[in-house]
Structure formats: C-alpha cells, structure tokens
Amino acid sequence: MSKYWNELTKKIEPYVAGEQPKDKKYIKLNTNENPYPPSPKVLKAISDANNSDLRLYPDPDCDKLRETVANYYDLNKNQVFVGNGSDEVLAFSFLTFFSSDKEIVYPDISYSFYPVYAGLYGLKARLSALKEDFSIDVEDFLKENGGVVIPNPNAPTGKYLDIKAIKRILEFNNENVVIIDEAYVDFGGESVVGLIKDYPNLLVIQTLSKSRALAGMRIGLALGREELIDGLNRIKNSFNSYTSDRIAQVAAVAAFEDDEYFKICSNKIIKTREKVTKRLTEIGFKVIPSKANFIFASHSKMLAKDIFIKLREKGVLVRYFNKPKIDNYLRISIGSKEEMDTFLEKVEEII
Amino acid sequence: MSKYWNELTKKIEPYVAGEQPKDKKYIKLNTNENPYPPSPKVLKAISDANNSDLRLYPDPDCDKLRETVANYYDLNKNQVFVGNGSDEVLAFSFLTFFSSDKEIVYPDISYSFYPVYAGLYGLKARLSALKEDFSIDVEDFLKENGGVVIPNPNAPTGKYLDIKAIKRILEFNNENVVIIDEAYVDFGGESVVGLIKDYPNLLVIQTLSKSRALAGMRIGLALGREELIDGLNRIKNSFNSYTSDRIAQVAAVAAFEDDEYFKICSNKIIKTREKVTKRLTEIGFKVIPSKANFIFASHSKMLAKDIFIKLREKGVLVRYFNKPKIDNYLRISIGSKEEMDTFLEKVEEII
C-alpha cells in the first residue's frame, strides 16, 4: 500500500495468471498453450519483417491483418478490431459498452478476468450460477441487464453452448452488447461469427494464443458490426494508438493464411483430448465433456489439490483453482501426445 | 454514434496519431522516428527468438528486461515497469495515481495524449500556460494539485527544463506523483532517473521508440520507487497480464545492451539537428532551441500551414498542429543527413 496510489489502485484485486515457472523444466499443462509450434510460414513472415523498418511505428489500424481476418470470416475489414491479446480486447470492450448503472451478467464459474475488469471500471455484475452439470443457465441471461459476457466453450469447464441458445440470448438482449468470448472455439465448437450479419449487438472475441499457437506474440480480435468496432477504436485510440507491433501483425497474417497447418494441429489436439478423456475416465476421473484444448476433471477417491501438488512434484503443471464449486477439479491443458502419455503415467502413479 | 456505446465512448475525443500514409513514399519527418535502424544486435536477438517458443506466453513480469534496464540505470528491477509503448505506460500511470477529486497539472502546449487520458478517466486538469518563449512556468506547478505531468524535453516544442527546476517541483509536490515523461531525453537532455533515490514521488517514463529506434516494437518503461511500480503492476494486472510479447522483450534487452551503437546514432541525430537549425535560421525561420529529435520552427514570411501543404506536395511530411498558440509552427523530425538535405532543398524552393 502506498499513499501515492489512488482509491482504485488500493482496492482492486488484480488477475492472477497461470504460473510461468522459472525454477525448472515442467510439462506445462497449466496455461492452455498449444503444444505445436506456430506455422513455419509464421516464422518465415517474422524473419522477413525483422529489418530496419522496426524503427518505424507499426500500422495503427492493422489494415493488412484486418483484411486477412475479414476475408477468412467473410466480413469486411471494418468489422474487425485488433488488440494486444484478447485480454486487452476484453478490457477495451468492457470499457466501451458497459456502464455502472446497469448490472452486466456472466457465469459464476468462468474466465476469472471478467470480475477483475468489472472491478477496474466500477461495474456491477450479476453472476449466473452454472447448473449442476456445469452447463450455462440460459434463462439467467433472459432477464434485464446492461450487457452479457459468455465464453464459449466456457473456461475452465470446457463446456460448449449451442448456437440456438446463443441466438435466444442475442434476441432477448437486443438493446445490449452480448460478448461471446471464443478463445477456445477452434477445438470442436462452432463460431458464431456467422451471426454478426443478423445481430447488431453481437461482439465475438477471439485470440491467436491458443489454436494458432501464438501466445508469445499477443494478438486478439473482436468481430462485430462496424458500429461496435468503431466504438472499440474510439476507446483504444484514447488509450494507446499502437497496440499491435510490426512483428505481431505479420505473424498473425501468416497464421490466418496457413489454414491447413492450423487445421492439422487443432485436429491432433482434439484427438489427444478424446484419448486422454477416455483414459482418465477409466481410472476413476469424472471428466466434463470438453470442446476446448483443456479438460476439467475430478477424481472420486483423491482430492484435486493433492493430485495437483503431487503432479507438480513429478514435474507436471496443471491448473488448480481454490474456489467454491470447482475446488475439487483440475484444469488440464492438452499437450502433445508424448506429454499427455507422461501425464497419464504420472497420474496413474499417484492414484 | 451507436446506441450500444456507453456515455464515455460517446463523449471521448480520441488521440489522433501522426499520419502513417499509405498512398506514396514520403520523407517522413512527422512522427519523430529514428532515421537509423535498430542495432544489428537487436535484429540478431529477434532472429534467435523466432522459434517454436512463440507458442508459449511471454514472461508477464519481463524479468530479463527489467534486470537489464535496472542495471543500466543503477536501479533494482523492482523499480522498473515495462509496458506496450510509453503511451500504455502513461495510460496506466494516470489510472494508478490520479483521481477525479483533485486537478492534475500539465503544460497547455504538450503531448496531446495527456488530455485524452484525463478524458478517459474523468480527471480534471489544470493547464499551465507556457511562457512567451515556450518555456515551462515552474511556479504553476508549485500550487496545490493532484499530480503533475511534464514531458522533458517538452513536445512539440523541444524545450528542456533543467534538473534544478524539476527538483523544486518534486519537493513542493511531495504528496503527489510527479511524472517526468522523458520520451526525448536521449538527444542532449539529462535524465532525472538519478533523483529516484531522493524522491519517492518521482515517476520517470521512457520509450524505446525514439532514441533506440524501436517504434515498431512498442516498448515503454516507467522508473521509480518500488511502491509506485507496485501500484502500476496492480493496474496492469487488472487490464492485461501479458502486455509485452516475447520478441519485444528480447529486442529491448539487446537495445540496452548495445550502448555504443545507441550513442553513435543519437549523436548523429544531435549533429544533424544543429546543422538544420542553423540553416533554417539563415533562411528566416525562428527555431526553438531543441534537445529532442525534432525541431519546432516558424517562418517570418510564410504561414506554417502553407509550408506544410507545399512540403507534402513535394513528398516531405512534417507535423502541423492546428491549435491556438502553435498554429504557425511546424514540428520537423530529424531524419538522416540525406533526408534533411532534401528537406532543406524543398523548403528553400518553397520560401
């Protein structure tokens, strides 16, 4: 605490990111990174951009990247917003569309950055309790509110909400912005980007950190009607004109251009996820059906916390949340086949 | 305007960055970029980091970079904060230390992002009018306030405030944070980093976009007592845990490590600045004495706006601010010797 901090700084509770340990080499299954490297075309694009032009500011509008993404999703470039990771895009979205006079709604078990943004901007939030099976209670989003945020698939559960349910939510909330956070949509879910043409209140948020294996380069996207993207640009340009650097922009373009590589890697991860789910179930785990690059699992005989600690000792990091309702679950990122074989081996030793 | 925007989004006036034209090739003297490329060691470091690790999140704490900067300035690493360009660092600083209940103070002619941050966070600001010769009126900063922001050298004037004056301001404002924005300090000014040990209220902000030729990579720094840096981290971690990507971090480390190259380039720019100042004075310009990598100049016979337009037609971009008090001045970035020879040639044709 310092007398130089303002009241907000004193009272805010910052987000705590998954551990990035520096003490020794772990099998890292705790931050949902992609086990496969970025496309070789991404590395080539970075290499080509590594030149004296780095002395110049990047394109603040990210035109080439926005055109590439627009083309990929059959949008126009004014329906695409680029940020420094999807966390920044979410931070801007909360600030652009939500106000302190009306409660926003998101699931009680969800991405733990949402309540932090609400705290940062002094927003009131209503938490919608997940049902017993961790599915989202759609009815809770069909009540008066000042904005909706739903990750789909949800994190850390991996549960997917079907498009029909999302349409109902979009229809009811036609006066408010509905954010669908699709950080994990490429692992078996279906994006709602196609609904943008029908719903002016829909803002889809995506990241290149997971399915496109570029967590290290910080690129996030918002997709929606031009009026929503215009609003985001107003706030972004009141905060930092150049949020995406030269290398990040070319890397992202190349990642979207190499669709084949992206699909191959995503499919490998889906296959590994199904295999690991099956094996964990066989040895007494309850595994929530996942459409993400992680699974959420609980064991009938041993506490999640104990498994977490023992796995750590054996050099495997997974994520444990010491929070009501989910404190007996582990979130396990899907690594490579070899990593997951080692993980299963260690788990079997522990159980 | 959209019904989905909140009141802030509707009323905010975003910052307008210097033009990054895409229509044709200009001699760009409008955004204070460095005419020399980044150090060859920076390009080598980027090349080395361009590998499969880009799939992994960057170090959210930027440890290696903070250690490097701390070592360079004889600080400890907990006195160093890293952001996505100094604009982001400024945006976080306003949000961490200033409140709506007390007016902050900055010069009326200054970096035009400050009023935008004030608008973004609902802060009240008192503008201190520059004196006739564009120098800062120190007395204005020795009156009750809620925080101080001074760019040194000032932009767009290039005027430098000596350390004695800054000490007086720091002493008077011992209950408030005093931000000294040193974006341009490496071109002949003296940094106040050395005062951090004596003044717990001093926050120094620097950028790698100008003297270190890395505008394209977005790296900004805040330097100050640990309690100030802790506050910045609280706000940053409530907004985006990973603001600096893997490539930016290694590039910045290499830039600080190659001090010789940095000094050679900065000295070349200073020499060119002095030469251009002399020549412009000879042909009837009034040039404000500059300690930055730009000069601020006005002609006795021809309107700045007209010179700006004619230079643009001749393929040379400079910056013109259509604002009271400075609407007859041009801000001219110092390019390479060759660029400045062309610039002088075109100016002489116009005058």
Side-chain angles (χ1 to χ4, degrees), chain B residues 10 26 90 108 258:
Chain B
K10 283 176 188 161
Y26 288 91
L90 284 163
D108 65 341
D258 196 353

Side-chain angles (χ1 to χ4, degrees), chain B residues 28-177:
Chain B
K28 267 191 91 258
L29 308 177
N30 70 328
T31 48
N32 299 339
E33 288 145 332
N34 200 309
Y36 304 108
S39 154
K41 289 178 183 163
V42 167
L43 302 186
K44 168 76 168 56
I46 293 177
S47 178
D48 291 346
N50 184 20
N51 59 43
S52 65
D53 282 353
L54 297 181
R55 71 183 178 84
L56 302 172
Y57 282 96
D59 175 6
D61 304 322
C62 307
D63 269 349
K64 181 81 197 297
L65 175 54
R66 284 161 62 228
E67 277 159 23
T68 304
V69 173
N71 186 44
Y72 187 88
Y73 283 121
D74 202 13
L75 301 169
N76 76 61
K77 82 169 181 183
N78 297 326
Q79 297 177 312
V80 179
F81 176 85
V82 175
N84 186 32
S86 66
D87 284 346
E88 183 181 84
V89 179
L90 284 163
F92 286 145
S93 301
F94 275 59
L95 188 54
T96 302
F97 304 115
F98 302 155
S99 331
S100 55
D101 54 345
K102 265 186 169 180
E103 280 179 348
I104 59 170
V105 199
Y106 46 77
D108 65 341
I109 305 298
S110 186
Y111 184 32
S112 39
F113 224 132
Y114 303 151
V116 179
Y117 299 131
L120 184 64
Y121 304 131
L123 303 171
K124 286 172 287 188
R126 192 169 76 222
L127 307 186
S128 160
L130 293 188
K131 295 185 188 168
E132 195 77 17
D133 67 349
F134 287 147
S135 65
I136 282 174
D137 190 345
V138 176
E139 299 303 321
D140 276 349
F141 296 85
L142 308 179
K143 292 168 189 160
E144 165 108 10
N145 66 66
V148 167
V149 191
I150 296 177
N152 197 34
N154 196 7
T157 64
K159 272 278 224 188
Y160 179 70
L161 186 64
D162 64 37
I163 290 199
K164 229 177 81 189
I166 294 179
K167 276 189 180 175
R168 280 183 69 204
I169 294 169
L170 284 164
E171 266 150 35
F172 179 87
N173 293 281
N174 61 335
E175 295 297 310
N176 301 326
V177 173

Side-chain angles (χ1 to χ4, degrees), chain A residues 36-82:
Chain A
Y36 303 109
S39 154
K41 289 178 184 164
V42 167
L43 302 186
K44 168 76 167 53
I46 293 178
S47 179
D48 291 347
N50 183 21
N51 59 44
S52 65
D53 281 354
L54 297 181
R55 73 183 178 81
L56 302 171
Y57 281 95
D59 175 7
D61 304 321
C62 307
D63 269 350
K64 181 82 197 295
L65 175 54
R66 284 162 61 229
E67 278 159 21
T68 305
V69 173
N71 186 44
Y72 187 88
Y73 282 122
D74 203 12
L75 301 169
N76 76 59
K77 83 169 182 183
N78 296 328
Q79 297 176 313
V80 180
F81 176 84
V82 175

